[in-house]
Amino acid sequence: MGMYEDVFRAAADDPESFWLTAAEGIDWDVAPRRALDSSGAPFYRWFPDGRLNVCFNALDRHVEAGRGEQPALIHDSPVTGTRRTYTYTQLRDEVAAFAGGLAQLGVEQGDRVVIYMPMVPEAAVAMLACARIGAVHSVVFGGFAPHELAVRIDDAAPKVVVSASCGIEGKRVIAYKPLLDRAIELADHKPEKSVILQRPQERAELGKDDVDWADLVAAAPPACCVPVPSNAPLYILYTSGTTGKPKGVVRDGGGYAVALHWSMGAVYDVGPGETMFTGSDVGWVVGHSYIVYGPLLAGATTVLYEGKPVGTPDAGQFWRVTAEYGVKTMFTAPTAFRAIRKEDPEGSLTADHDLSGLRHLFLAGERLDPETYHWASALLDIPVIDHWWQTETGWPIVANPVGIEAAPVKPGSATRPLPGWDVRVLDRSGDPVPAGVDGAIVVKLPLPPGALPTLWNDDDRYIASYLSAFDGYYLTGDSGHIDDDGYVFVMGRTDDVINVAGHRLSTGSMEEALATHPDVAECAVIGVADALKGQVPRGFVVLKAGVSRDATEIEAELVHIVRERIGAVASLRSVTVVAALPKTRSGKILRKTMRGIADGRDEPIPSTVDDADVIELLRPVLRGEDLTP
């Protein structure tokens, strides 16, 4: 594909030609003659005159090209002891059948479908079925509690919800139907129907508005692919905001398909017939892009894994999957490797499996700490590649593009910006900072294909959240620096969204949950550095005057409230009752100062502090030296 500098320069100097050439990797019903439409800036649109169907590109075209018997999707579930391989023909037929079922329920082009499912093949089938008929899917992670699901139902206003009777977390079977029923009860918007996949581990009792998946498919004719405009939304994926209302990231089909197909070869070095194993969940952007759409657009084989990196049953499962299915490229979060290392520090379980086919390990979701990088590199003796991107961007911003040219690795850096991304670091005034100096990491507009064009039904919030801080730039919300060689070092978040094991979670949402407790006067949640998960949330609450109950009892109730409202994914297991929270004179809680102290830094006390004694009293609590207020 040419050397990195040549490809990067081609994308920067003539993005129109570069992306139109990349678009030739996709089959179009109407091929685009223009790459970028800037007429509505800052709302940019890619391939505005093109028409396509993303499902056709992911499935049908590979069958028509004579590769229908090639494995498309492998479902490996150690928690149920089952494995199944779908060829491209089989997966196409399953998707067409379910798409026909959705059409029978009245789902049409532009309608929304919320998908609330565990890691089963039917989750991918439902996503692709929506794409097949031009509907817009919104996948909600199965671990979210009814309140969070209800908020997303209200925002997306789906005609249909697709779910399963249960999910499996380790050895626990979690009934999904009661959670879904409660969410619909809480939501103002009421979906017309819920389609339920019955799993043998626990069957659900169906109500009058519920439809059994198997019955629906059996009675429906298969659906054909519906061509839609390139800019039509393919899906909505909600990401935590700093307020209670989640942000619905919109993904357009044309730009996304082009970018993902290009990235599969250029970044991940995966092509037709090769196998990629992405250890994530379809509820997150990584699952959307590199479990489902990316590998299938490239004609590769993708592994959809229902289990954990450890404990289902041991820390050797990723090695087993890699060996059994001939995985060439693995992609997961650093937290997964920290968990594996914790259970098997010597990496002895790799000896049981032939990993000779594994060429690359990609890690993303939070900063890859150098210790984990060195451990994985020494254990596997292959390139271990840190890369950086976001729900909003849909595919990597910064990476080591092994399909173009592998660059020397610098531990702690995700390497250099990929072609199409113009990454800068600015100070608070919007001026560029010198090499090696930390600042706000931004991307010069326009963003390349595949990145969000806006937020669902909220153009104003899109501008306020991402484009208002620095004119002409997308604000990533991350801070860091670029060194003299152009390597990008992402050091952390600049807002109050924390990164727990690769999952971006809003501390604001957790604070809202804590504040619902009748004994709580005020509260703060901060992300504290954690060796395994990158960050974990810690809550601090001040009780109302006159409350005399046992603090330990209240703390346990608060942990339960957050779990109930947000779900176990929040990982908030530590809430401490304190006498006061440190604030500025204007009343703002000094969360950054609290985070620094909790992480062990000698954090300076801001000049704006209202009462410095509050910080000193809180310091041992934040550092875990004394958990009494």
Side-chain angles (χ1 to χ4, degrees):
M1 296 182 67
M3 303 297 276
Y4 165 83
E5 293 289 354
D6 294 335
V7 180
F8 187 87
R9 192 178 306 111
D13 293 346
D14 190 357
E16 186 78 11
S17 295
F18 182 88
W19 288 114
L20 279 176
T21 300
E24 294 173 3
I26 294 299
D27 285 1
W28 299 83
D29 289 85
V30 178
R33 291 172 295 176
R34 299 167 57 203
L36 179 64
D37 177 8
S38 302
S39 62
F43 300 100
Y44 297 92
R45 298 292 182 261
W46 287 96
F47 314 112
D49 53 343
R51 292 182 67 86
L52 80 166
N53 183 276
V54 174
C55 179
F56 177 87
N57 277 276
L59 299 175
D60 301 65
R61 69 168 175 162
H62 304 307
V63 177
E64 293 181 6
R67 292 191 292 108
E69 298 311 302
Q70 178 200 307
L73 184 147
I74 298 168
H75 182 235
D76 187 290
S77 174
V79 296
T80 62
T82 59
R83 302 171 195 179
R84 182 176 176 188
T85 298
Y86 295 76
T87 65
Y88 269 98
T89 297
Q90 289 170 332
L91 188 58
R92 179 203 61 184
D93 292 347
E94 295 249 357
V95 168
F98 190 66
L102 290 176
Q104 292 281 82
L105 295 178
V107 177
E108 300 176 341
Q109 181 179 336
D111 286 340
R112 276 79 61 207
V113 175
V114 163
I115 300 170
Y116 182 68
M117 298 190 80
M119 285 291 284
V120 291
E122 289 82 0
V125 167
M127 295 166 68
L128 291 160
C130 291
R132 192 173 192 84
I133 58 176
V136 182
H137 65 71
S138 184
V139 181
V140 178
F141 176 69
F144 275 126
H147 169 77
E148 293 294 319
L149 177 56
V151 169
R152 287 154 175 78
I153 288 173
D154 276 338
D155 197 67
K159 182 171 282 188
V160 170
V161 174
V162 181
S163 189
S165 58
C166 67
I168 301 164
E169 290 288 329
K171 296 180 180 178
R172 292 190 307 129
V173 175
I174 300 173
Y176 276 20
K177 187 60 166 52
L179 301 176
L180 174 60
D181 288 345
R182 177 57 179 157
I184 293 175
E185 182 184 324
L186 291 170
D188 293 327
H189 174 82
K190 307 299 180 185
E192 294 178 10
K193 295 290 181 181
S194 296
V195 180
I196 306 299
L197 174 72
Q198 296 282 17
R199 303 190 75 189
Q201 290 76 21
E202 179 164 332
R203 295 181 65 83
E205 184 176 335
L206 303 186
K208 65 180 179 62
D209 294 326
D210 301 325
V211 181
D212 183 283
W213 176 298
D215 293 343
L216 178 68
V217 168
C224 296
C225 295
V226 176
V228 298
S230 172
N231 296 142
L234 175 66
Y235 67 76
I236 306 163
L237 184 56
Y238 288 94
T239 183
S240 295
T242 52
T243 65
K245 185 175 184 286
K247 294 183 288 191
V249 169
V250 175
R251 199 78 68 206
D252 60 315
Y256 188 56
V258 171
L260 285 193
H261 180 267
W262 184 85
S263 74
M264 285 296 296
V267 181
Y268 298 101
D269 193 27
V270 174
E274 297 178 326
T275 302
M276 184 172 188
F277 167 38
T278 299
S280 182
D281 190 285
V282 293
W284 311 121
V285 69
V286 170
H288 280 60
S289 292
Y290 295 110
I291 295 177
V292 181
Y293 287 110
L296 296 178
L297 287 166
T301 301
T302 186
V303 179
L304 190 148
Y305 174 79
E306 186 182 24
K308 303 290 185 185
V310 299
T312 57
D314 57 33
Q317 289 306 294
F318 277 16
W319 316 135
R320 175 189 64 77
V321 167
T322 298
E324 284 190 14
Y325 306 122
V327 171
K328 178 183 180 182
T329 295
M330 184 194 299
F331 176 8
T332 190
T335 188
F337 267 70
R338 287 194 284 266
I340 292 168
R341 183 186 181 200
K342 182 172 180 286
E343 295 293 318
D344 182 22
E346 302 303 319
S348 57
L349 292 175
T350 57
D352 300 332
H353 306 286
D354 179 6
L355 304 180
S356 59
L358 186 63
R359 293 287 182 267
H360 306 107
L361 169 63
F362 282 82
L363 299 172
E366 73 249 304
R367 186 168 181 266
L368 173 59
D369 57 288
E371 194 172 358
T372 300
Y373 163 78
H374 287 300
W375 182 80
S377 296
L379 177 66
L380 299 174
D381 194 27
I382 60 172
V384 175
I385 300 164
D386 184 14
H387 62 320
W388 170 66
W389 51 297
Q390 303 175 324
T391 300
E392 291 85 349
T393 68
W395 62 286
I397 305 170
V398 177
N400 197 338
V402 295
I404 300 175
E405 178 189 20
V409 169
K410 293 187 181 185
S413 171
T415 314
R416 295 178 290 188
L418 290 172
W421 297 97
D422 186 349
V423 180
R424 314 279 181 93
V425 179
L426 306 179
D427 63 19
R428 291 185 178 182
S429 300
D431 296 320
V433 301
V437 175
D438 280 353
I441 302 176
V442 299
V443 180
K444 194 173 188 307
L445 298 177
L447 300 180
L452 82 169
T454 189
L455 295 173
W456 179 251
N457 286 339
D458 207 340
D459 287 349
D460 290 343
R461 191 179 184 195
Y462 169 65
I463 292 174
S465 298
Y466 302 108
L467 309 184
S468 61
F470 303 106
D471 186 39
Y473 293 93
Y474 163 83
L475 181 69
T476 69
D478 282 307
S479 63
H481 61 269
I482 301 176
D483 72 7
D484 289 322
D485 297 321
Y487 280 60
V488 179
F489 291 76
V490 181
M491 306 308 295
R493 296 295 296 167
T494 56
D495 56 20
D496 286 322
V497 175
I498 64 172
N499 205 320
V500 180
H503 305 150
R504 287 179 62 194
L505 299 170
S506 169
T507 57
S509 295
M510 295 183 213
E511 290 176 1
E512 286 182 1
L514 295 177
T516 64
H517 193 286
D519 294 339
V520 171
E522 58 182 349
C523 59
V525 176
I526 61 171
V528 178
D530 179 80
L532 180 64
K533 295 188 175 183
Q535 281 183 302
V536 294
R538 282 185 64 188
F540 300 88
V541 300
V542 177
L543 300 181
K544 294 177 180 176
V547 174
S548 57
R549 295 176 56 209
D550 179 70
T552 305
E553 183 179 339
I554 295 173
E555 291 165 0
E557 291 171 0
L558 291 166
V559 170
H560 179 72
I561 285 173
V562 173
R563 185 183 183 94
E564 209 171 41
R565 285 179 61 93
I566 299 177
V569 70
S571 297
L572 180 66
R573 297 186 177 90
S574 172
V575 179
T576 306
V577 174
V578 296
L581 293 170
K583 299 178 183 177
T584 65
R585 284 186 288 273
S586 63
K588 182 180 179 181
I589 296 172
L590 293 167
R591 292 178 180 82
K592 181 178 182 295
T593 303
M594 293 172 66
R595 280 197 300 269
I597 295 170
D599 288 345
R601 296 194 294 272
D602 187 18
E603 193 74 14
I605 297 175
S607 59
T608 56
V609 68
D610 181 49
D611 185 352
D613 289 341
V614 172
I615 293 180
E616 295 309 318
L617 288 171
L618 197 57
R619 194 179 295 273
V621 181
L622 288 164
R623 290 188 170 167
E625 300 166 7
D626 179 8
L627 296 182
T628 58

